[in-house]
Every structure is written in C-alpha cells, then in structure tokens.
C-alpha cells in the first residue's frame, strides 16, 4: 500500500516527519503493520501538530483577547477621565465670579448724591477687602416692575432677582438696605454667619415669627445647613433691610412668590415685611428653610432698645426708618460715618 | 464526510447539494428542539400568551414588581351625594370610569389611587372649596413615595386607547411632545413672556389648555421641590380674599394667576396639546365647534376623552356609554395577528 501523507512546507524538522516511504529493499512490511504505523504517525502528527497549532491558535487567540481587553480598558479610562475633566471645567466656568454678592439699591430721587457715594464707597471697601462682589442699581430701574412706584420698599425684590440673574455663579446674595453702614469691615461673612456650625449656633429656634406671641414659630429641629434664607427680626417682626439668600431654586421661588401682585396690592400694614411674615406663617415650605438669627449679627440699630441696640464692634449699623419726623437721617448718618471701622490691612 | 465542506465543494450536482443543505437544516433544528427544550417551551408560551390573552402587550410579557413610576389619581365621588342625589346613572358612570382606569393601570403596571372627593367640613363655607385637588395630590404623593409622575383624572374621563403607554405617548420625548411657550397657543391671552424664566428647568407640571384656559381635568404633576412649593402656595388666604369672587374655577384660576405673575412657575410648567390627553366631546367648548385642536377624533384615535362639564346640561351617562362602546369597537379593529 502506498500512503500518501500530504506534505506541509518547511516541516522537515518536526518529529514524525512525513518523509516516510514504505519502500524498503531489505524488508517488506505487512499491510496491517504499516497501517498501524501510519495511524500512530498520523495520530502523533495530528496530536503534536494540532496541539502546537492549538497552542499557536490559543496563544494567538489569547494574545488577541488580551490586546482587545487592554484597548477596552484604555478606552473606558479615557472616556471617564474626559467626562470628569469636562465636569470640572464646566463647574469651574459656572463658578466664575465672587461667591458672595452684596446687593444695593440706591434711591437717587430722595437722597443726595454725595451721601449715596459714601454709602457705595463703604460697601465697595468691604467687598474689596473680603473678595465679594457688589451689585448696585438705582431703584428707579424697577419702577415699571412694581405696582406702585412710590412704594420703594417693594423694589428690592426685582433688584434681587436681577442680581441673581447677573451673578448666576454666586453662592449667596446679601441684600443690605441703602440706609445702613458696615461698621466692621474686617468680619468675614462666612465665618461670622454662613458657616454651618456657626449658623447653627446663631439660629433662634421656636421663637414667634411676629413677636410677641404669634402662633407660628420657627422650627426647632431643622439643621442649619438646610437653611437658605437668613434674616433677623426686631421687636416688631421680620426686618427685610438685611437678609441673605442662598443661590438655589428655593430662593427664586420665594422672591417670585413674595413679589406677587396681590401681595403688593394688599393692605399689609408693614408692607413687604408684612407680606414676608404672611408667607412664613401660611406656607411651611418657606418657613422650613428660613433661619432667624439675632438682630445684632447684621442689623443693629444705633437708636434701638434692648437686644437691637448697636454696640461697638457690631457688624452693621442700620438706620432705616430715619425718614420719620422724630429722627434725622443726616445727623444719624454723620455720627456713625465718623465712627466706622476701617479695613485692617494684614501685613 | 469528515468535513461538510467536502461535499458542498465537491462535484455533486446543485440539486443534491440543496437537498443536502435542507436535510442538515432539519436535523439541526431537531437538535435544537431536543437540546434546548426549555428555551423552546418559553418561546411557545410567549406566543400563546400573546395570541390568547387580550393584553396586547409588546413582544415580551410585562411583569410588575415593586412600585411604578406612574400613579393615576382618579377623583371619584365628587360631592359625595351631598348637594345632589346620586342615582343609578351616576353610579353606573362611576363604575364604568373606575373599571376603565383599573384595566388601563393593570395593563401597563401603573398604580391607581382612587381618591374620594366628597364634600368635607374643612372646605365648608367656601373656605378652600375647590382647592381639594391640591390636598389630594399632596396626600397621594405621600402614599406613593417612590412614584415620579402623578396623572390626575377627573371622574368623567374615559381612556379610549388602552394600548397606548404613557412613556411612549408623552414622557419619552417630553420636550418634543409638550410646548413651554404660550406663543404656540394662548386661548386666555395671558402675557406671553415674563423676565427671569428658566427654560432649562425640569418640567414638573404638564397641563393641557382648552378653550377657556388651563384644564385641570387631566394633567401630570411630578414629584420635586418645585412641586412641593407649588402645592404649598397654590392656596393662599390673601389671594383667596381678594379674588375668590372673580375666580370661577378657583384653583385653575389661581394657577393661571400665578403663571401670569410669578416667573418661577413658568420655569416648571409645560403645556401639552389638548388632544393628546384631554380630548373633548362635541358638547364641551361648544362655541369652538370644528376647532381641530379640541375635539375627539375617532380617525386619529385620540388617547383620552374628558367629558368636561357634562353634569351641567348634558347627559353624562349617555356620553360615557357612547365612548365606552366606541372604544370597544375600535379595539376590535385593533387586533393584529403578528406580535410586532
């Protein structure tokens, strides 16, 4: 029998090389013996070759799969890194600008220019020293937004809304009325009020919204880091001449709801303060995020009584209400202006 | 043949090659059926389920574990029979409406909250009367803490196309299916633009407009901080005192007032074309007969019919019967023979 084993190129070095020829002059082999040998050879050949092949194939396959796996890992890492970098970049872009913005509305119709200039310089000195922003507008700009342009106190709300629009990256907005002086510009607002632990220690819990004995009182257990509206009250009720709003959706909701036409038209005796007290008493979603802090934190009265009386070292001296006949705005202002603290330049 | 390609590439005739291929295919199929019995049984079961059940489900059967993303709030027992006697017809209308919503909710795995709107003492003497919707929505949101969207439906509504799912119909492409600006359709002539409106704000209230303003008979509201605030300020004693004599539709008018005056509301409200979730029968908005934006159209297979105002001057029972029969006949035409 003649066995024709298909030859492969370059395999003469392999064991069981198929260069087997059944012809031999000296011996004749029986067909069964030859077939046995053939089978052995073929089997070993296929075993070894295919095992080698398998190893080659499997090693090739495992090489491919390793490369593929590495490629996938690299791709995923790349995508994740790009995603986080993009997030950081976008958040950096959004957070450009100062983190606290002072909001000031000037009443050019009723006050002299040099007085207004002094007020602005006082705010600017404070803002520059602390790295805060300052947003100043004439309240005449908002005459068309309010129902009755004579009522200046309502104009602080569209002013605040405009400030929120123009400084979307800020974290806090501090509205301080025009008729107030920052007496101690070395106090940092975060340390003095905003830091959650500090705020927690300042928040007055379980006090009536409208002293002395309104039914609705401030919440007892809401933690300070959830508070988004920081305000104080005097013996009459909430005082809207100095308050801080956190830059969150809640603040926009509150300012818009507070500014509603029907509140402006309603005969609140205390006008915008009355409207805010009404909101706080009737709507728990407003009250739950409102922090009432002691008045002398940022709204002392030089002519006040008891808890509200200004003392040396207080942050802000506010002489709102000085337009009433028994008081004199100019004299009160001059006295305070000369005594105000100046920025201590750290060496 | 050690190698099947041997035969195929051999010199046999094409006919015998084709036959060979077919035989191998048959053998292979038998092999699959024998070896993968479980899978094959499942496949057969799914097909049977589709054909024999009336569910009209997509290809895979839906199993509903846990709570759903959508809750349907159905307002029943309006008035509770206090001001008007509830006769057999009123009871029949209520039964039909409830059965319709139940079937729909079961089919799609939504939750159904049937809320009783009988007159309560705390709403007596007009105090907060007609603002009960707000309280009901708030309490339903507490009952279903995991749900996201709540669909308020008045009693006199009928879901005409039970195969339509809310995800596909509205919510998967909510920005496309709804419009934010009144410039598209403004039947009440409300101010079209206000300053400081945020058009990137999440949509939290999807409401249709009919010929007389916002229609709160079929609308969607979403759980969010915005919604908490809205449900809180929606009723206010100062607003009520000044306006309740002029506001005929109470909470609807209050919402329109707030929408016209407070920019934060606009940021979260989106309008849906009326015929997507709130088609009217011919009797409602009768002054606008023929307006293609308002009335139920059988050819277009509108989703829901809201028989608004049928209790004043029209026949609720008759209309409900009519739409029930119409829906049943339309579903008969619907039966397809392929599962996709």
């Amino acid at each position: 029998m003649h066995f024709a084993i298909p030859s492969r190129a370059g395999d003469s070095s392999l064991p069981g090389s198929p260069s087997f020829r059944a012809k031999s002059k000296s011996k004749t082999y029986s067909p069964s013996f030859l077939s046995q040998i053939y089978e052995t050879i073929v089997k070993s050949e296929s075993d070894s070759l295919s095992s080698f092949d398998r190893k080659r194939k499997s090693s090739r396959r495992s090489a491919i799969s390793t490369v593929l796996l590495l490629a996938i890992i690299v791709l995923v890492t790349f995508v994740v890194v790009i995603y986080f970098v993009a997030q950081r970049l976008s958040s950096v872009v959004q957070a450009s600008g100062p983190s606290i913005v002072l909001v000031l509305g000037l009443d050019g119709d009723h006050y002299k220019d040099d007085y207004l200039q002094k007020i602005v310089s006082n705010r600017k000195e404070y803002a520059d020293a602390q790295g805060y922003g300052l947003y100043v507008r004439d309240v005449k700009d908002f005459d068309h937004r309010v129902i009755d342009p004579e009522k200046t106190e309502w104009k602080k709300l569209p002013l605040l809304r405009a400030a929120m629009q123009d400084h979307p990256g800020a974290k806090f907005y501090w509205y301080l009325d025009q008729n107030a002086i920052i007496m101690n510009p070395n106090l940092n607002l975060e340390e003095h009020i905003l830091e959650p632990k500090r705020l927690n220690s300042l928040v007055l819990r379980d006090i009536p919204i409208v002293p002395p004995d309104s039914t609705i009182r401030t919440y007892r257990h809401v933690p300070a880091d959830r508070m988004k509206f920081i305000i104080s009250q005097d013996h009459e009720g909430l005082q809207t001449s100095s308050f801080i709003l956190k830059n969150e959706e809640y603040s926009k909701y509150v300012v818009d709801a507070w500014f509603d036409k029907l509140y402006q038209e309603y005969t609140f005796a205390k006008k915008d303060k009355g409207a805010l007290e009404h909101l706080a008493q009737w709507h728990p979603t407003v009250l739950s995020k409102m922090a009432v802090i002691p008045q002398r934190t940022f709204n002392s009265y030089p002519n006040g009584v008891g808890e509200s009386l200004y003392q040396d070292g207080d942050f802000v001296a506010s002489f709102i209400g000085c337009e009433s006949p028994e008081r004199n705005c100019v004299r009160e202002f001059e006295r305070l202006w000369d005594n105000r603290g100046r920025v201590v330049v750290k060496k | 043949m050690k190698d099947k390609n041997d035969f195929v590439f051999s010199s046999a005739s094409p006919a015998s090659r084709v036959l060979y291929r077919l035989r191998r295919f048959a053998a292979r199929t038998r092999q699959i059926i024998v070896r993968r019995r479980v899978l094959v049984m499942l496949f057969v079961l799914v097909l049977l389920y589709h054909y024999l059940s009336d569910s009209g489900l997509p290809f895979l059967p839906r199993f509903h574990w846990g709570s759903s993303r959508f809750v349907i709030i159905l307002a029943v027992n309006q008035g509770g029979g206090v001001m008007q006697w509830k006769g057999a017809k009123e009871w029949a209308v209520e039964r039909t409406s409830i059965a319709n919503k139940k079937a729909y909710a079961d089919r799609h795995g939504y939750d159904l909250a049937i809320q009783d709107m009988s007159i309560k003492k705390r709403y007596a003497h007009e105090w907060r009367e007609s603002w009960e919707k707000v309280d009901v929505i708030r309490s339903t949101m507490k009952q279903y803490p995991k749900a996201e969207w709540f669909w308020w439906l008045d009693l006199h509504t009928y879901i005409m196309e039970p195969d339509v799912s809310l995800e596909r119909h509205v919510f998967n492409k909510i920005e496309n299916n709804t419009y934010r600006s009144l410039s598209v359709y403004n039947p009440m002539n409300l101010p079209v633009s206000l300053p400081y409106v945020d058009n990137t704000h999440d949509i939290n209230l999807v409401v249709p407009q009919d010929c007389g303003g916002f229609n709160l008979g079929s609308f969607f509201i979403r759980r969010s901080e915005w919604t908490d605030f809205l449900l809180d300020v929606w009723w206010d004693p100062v607003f009520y005192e000044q306006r309740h004599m002029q506001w005929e539709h109470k909470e609807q008018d209050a919402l329109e007032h707030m929408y016209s005056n407070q920019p934060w509301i606009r940021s979260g409200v989106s309008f849906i074309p009326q015929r997507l979730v709130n088609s009217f029968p011919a009797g409602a908005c009768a002054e606008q007969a023929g307006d293609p934006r308002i009335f139920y159209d059988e050819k277009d297979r509108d989703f829901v019919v809201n028989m608004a105002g049928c209790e004043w001057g029209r026949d609720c029972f008759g209309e409900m019967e009519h739409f029930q029969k119409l829906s049943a006949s339309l579903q008969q035409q619907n039966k397809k023979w392929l599962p996709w």
Side-chain angles (χ1 to χ4, degrees):
Chain A
M1 290 177 96
H2 175 66
F3 298 91
I5 298 168
S7 63
R8 290 196 187 84
D11 56 2
S12 51
S13 55
L14 295 171
S17 163
S19 48
F20 174 78
R21 295 273 190 280
K23 55 179 176 38
S24 171
K25 288 211 173 74
S26 51
K27 270 190 183 170
T28 48
Y29 297 94
S30 68
S32 55
F33 172 65
L34 287 173
S35 66
Q36 273 176 23
I37 295 180
Y38 168 71
E39 276 175 30
T40 330
I41 291 177
V42 165
K43 221 165 98 188
S44 66
E45 186 184 303
S46 67
D47 277 348
S48 57
L49 270 182
S50 59
S51 76
F52 184 81
D53 247 337
R54 255 183 275 136
K55 278 207 204 104
R56 258 172 59 183
K57 261 197 201 154
S58 67
S59 71
R60 206 172 30 226
R61 214 180 293 148
S62 70
I64 291 178
S65 61
T66 326
V67 168
L68 210 58
L69 191 62
L70 275 176
I72 291 176
I73 291 176
V74 166
L75 197 66
V76 166
T77 326
F78 185 67
V79 165
V80 163
V81 163
I82 291 287
Y83 174 71
F84 276 115
V85 166
Q87 275 224 326
R88 282 295 303 280
L89 277 178
S90 71
S91 68
V92 161
V93 163
Q94 274 167 16
S96 72
S99 66
I100 298 182
V101 173
L102 272 71
V103 179
L104 173 65
L106 297 177
D107 190 358
D109 285 341
H110 297 110
Y111 292 89
K112 294 211 183 64
D113 275 348
D114 59 339
Y115 167 76
L116 294 177
Q117 265 173 2
K118 285 189 178 147
I119 297 286
V120 174
S121 73
N122 172 252
R123 305 284 192 270
K124 199 159 170 0
E125 183 188 339
Y126 178 70
D128 286 342
Q130 302 290 343
Y132 299 156
L134 177 60
Y135 185 83
V136 187
R137 297 281 294 271
D138 192 322
V139 295
K140 243 204 315 282
D141 293 346
F142 303 103
D143 274 357
H144 65 285
R145 298 288 317 280
V146 293
I147 302 291
D148 182 2
E150 296 298 313
K151 295 188 184 158
T152 323
E153 60 274 352
W154 284 102
K155 296 181 192 167
K156 62 164 76 83
L157 294 170
L159 165 65
L160 203 42
R161 212 50 175 91
M164 288 185 189
Q165 178 91 338
D166 287 348
H167 291 275
K171 288 219 235 36
F172 292 93
Y173 304 97
W174 179 21
Y175 174 81
L176 183 57
D177 213 44
Q178 170 201 292
N179 295 336
I181 301 179
I182 299 179
M183 298 299 277
N184 191 348
N186 299 303
L187 283 176
N188 179 289
L189 210 58
E190 280 110 335
E191 286 164 13
H192 185 55
I193 300 176
L194 296 171
E195 207 266 309
K197 282 205 199 64
R198 166 76 177 157
L199 185 57
N200 214 4
S201 67
L202 287 174
V203 169
L204 300 169
R205 307 229 180 238
D206 202 26
I207 59 160
I209 292 292
V210 186
D213 55 4
S214 75
T215 321
I216 305 292
R217 303 174 141 234
T218 52
Y219 283 74
R220 269 177 278 171
H221 300 299
V222 178
D225 49 10
R226 270 193 243 160
M227 304 289 199
K228 300 179 185 165
F229 190 158
I230 302 167
I231 195 168
S232 64
Q233 66 174 198
D234 65 5
H235 63 280
E236 276 181 2
L238 292 177
Q239 278 304 324
T240 55
S241 47
S242 172
F243 59 90
I244 300 178
L245 279 174
K246 201 167 180 187
N247 182 12
E248 288 195 17
E249 293 302 314
Y250 162 86
S251 305
K252 299 191 177 114
Y253 304 163
V254 165
V255 170
D256 285 343
W258 188 1
F259 191 56
D260 191 278
K261 214 166 63 167
L262 288 174
Y263 289 142
Q264 293 177 53
E265 287 171 350
Y266 193 67
T267 51
F268 285 113
K270 292 186 257 180
K271 301 174 225 158
D272 63 315
K273 302 190 283 248
L276 184 62
E277 282 166 7
H278 171 87
L279 268 180
Q281 290 179 79
W282 282 96
H283 300 296
T285 48
V286 173
L287 183 59
S288 59
K289 299 195 171 70
M290 195 184 266
V292 180
I293 62 179
Q295 190 185 348
R296 277 181 48 227
T297 322
F298 62 171
N299 202 9
S300 321
Y301 291 167
N303 61 329
V305 284
E307 287 295 308
S308 50
L309 182 57
Y310 171 81
Q311 287 168 23
D312 277 331
D314 276 358
F315 188 22
V316 170
S318 160
F319 45 100
I320 52 154
C322 66
E323 302 92 358
S324 67
E326 60 268 18
R327 293 168 62 175
N328 187 322
C329 284
V330 177
R331 236 181 312 150
E332 290 185 28
F333 169 74
E334 295 295 336
R335 207 178 61 223
L336 288 168
W337 184 252
D338 296 330
N339 286 338
R340 76 188 192 284
R342 304 308 301 271
V343 174
V344 168
V345 177
K346 293 188 181 61
K347 298 265 176 349
Chain B
M1 304 286 152
K2 277 209 164 82
D3 182 0
K4 66 175 191 264
N5 289 325
D6 279 354
F7 178 76
V8 174
F9 295 121
S10 74
S11 50
S13 72
S16 62
R17 281 215 289 273
V18 167
L19 273 178
Y20 175 74
R21 277 238 146 96
L22 281 176
R23 273 214 312 277
R24 281 192 59 91
F25 178 71
R28 193 93 184 99
T29 317
R30 206 175 57 230
Q31 212 179 37
I32 294 179
I33 292 180
V34 161
R35 286 193 190 165
R36 308 262 184 261
R37 279 179 283 257
V38 176
L39 281 182
V40 170
M41 252 189 334
L42 278 179
F43 182 67
V44 168
L45 273 177
V46 164
L47 280 182
L48 278 177
Y49 185 38
H50 174 85
Y51 286 123
L52 297 182
S53 80
D54 211 16
S55 58
L57 288 177
F59 188 56
L60 284 176
R62 178 190 293 272
F63 289 110
H64 169 53
W65 289 299
S67 62
S68 165
R69 192 176 149 214
F70 296 94
V71 174
I72 303 177
I73 308 177
L74 179 60
V76 302
N77 203 16
Q78 200 83 31
V82 171
M83 305 303 276
Q84 281 166 305
W85 190 252
K86 266 175 94 166
K89 285 196 174 169
E90 278 81 25
W91 285 111
V93 161
E94 201 162 297
R95 267 200 308 274
T96 315
S97 183
I98 293 178
N100 169 250
K101 311 306 184 288
K102 242 198 200 130
Y104 180 76
D106 286 344
R107 175 171 296 194
H108 292 278
Y110 303 149
D111 288 315
L112 175 63
I114 300 177
Q115 303 290 12
D116 182 15
M117 304 292 286
S118 51
I119 292 180
K120 298 205 166 60
K121 213 164 168 202
R122 65 170 177 263
Y123 299 111
H125 299 297
E126 293 190 342
W127 185 250
R128 296 181 68 115
E129 185 191 346
S130 184
W131 263 269
E132 299 100 334
K133 242 177 226 180
V134 177
D135 291 340
V136 166
I137 295 176
R138 248 204 297 220
S139 67
T140 314
M141 283 195 176
K142 271 208 259 282
Q143 284 173 339
Y144 293 90
K146 298 225 184 73
E148 188 192 351
W149 282 98
F150 294 80
W151 183 16
W152 177 279
L153 276 174
D154 274 349
L155 181 67
H156 298 291
T157 50
Y158 199 83
I159 299 180
M160 301 292 286
E161 300 292 327
D163 288 341
V164 172
S165 77
L166 288 175
E167 291 98 329
R168 228 184 39 225
H169 192 57
V170 178
F171 291 99
N172 284 350
K173 294 210 203 82
I174 192 171
E175 296 280 347
N176 291 352
N177 291 329
T178 61
Y179 57 95
R180 284 190 192 250
S181 166
L182 280 177
S183 53
V184 175
Y185 180 47
N186 192 1
M188 288 293 282
N189 283 320
L190 299 174
V192 174
S193 64
L194 279 185
Y196 309 131
V197 174
D198 177 10
N199 283 321
T200 62
H201 197 286
D202 289 337
I203 297 175
N204 289 316
L205 177 62
V206 177
V207 70
Q209 291 190 85
D210 64 26
C211 55
F214 298 3
N215 186 298
L216 294 179
S218 162
F219 67 93
F220 301 92
I221 192 162
R222 182 172 164 264
R223 178 193 301 280
S224 67
E225 191 190 352
W226 182 96
T227 305
D228 285 341
F229 206 78
L230 172 68
L231 295 177
D232 193 17
V233 299
W234 202 326
W235 184 83
D236 183 84
V238 165
F239 290 13
Y240 186 82
E241 187 184 316
Q242 299 202 331
R243 287 283 196 268
H244 78 279
M245 299 308 279
Q246 297 155 2
W247 284 347
E248 218 182 273
H249 300 114
K250 305 301 190 292
E251 63 213 340
Q252 178 184 315
D253 288 315
L255 185 62
E256 284 168 14
H257 167 87
M258 288 197 291
Y259 187 86
S260 312
N261 286 292
Q262 300 179 22
W264 70 277
I265 299 243
R266 292 202 178 207
S267 307
V269 172
S270 194
F271 298 106
I272 188 167
Q274 187 179 352
R275 280 181 53 213
L276 275 185
V277 289
N278 199 8
S279 315
F280 274 4
C285 271
E287 320 82 56
Q288 314 266 349
D291 191 330
R293 290 172 296 201
I294 301 180
F295 298 100
Y296 174 77
D297 191 340
E298 187 178 321
K299 280 191 287 322
D300 287 337
R301 305 292 284 272
D302 289 353
F303 181 33
V304 174
V305 165
N306 178 5
M307 291 153 259
C310 66
E311 58 266 28
W312 290 300
R314 305 202 313 264
D315 177 17
C316 286
F317 178 69
E319 287 187 11
M320 188 67 94
E321 281 236 313
H322 164 75
F323 283 109
Q324 187 185 11
K325 288 201 182 72
L326 182 55
S327 171
S329 76
L330 287 174
Q331 295 317 305
Q332 279 294 98
Q333 296 171 18
N334 230 9
K335 281 218 186 305
K336 297 191 278 272
W337 60 279
L338 272 178
W340 48 84

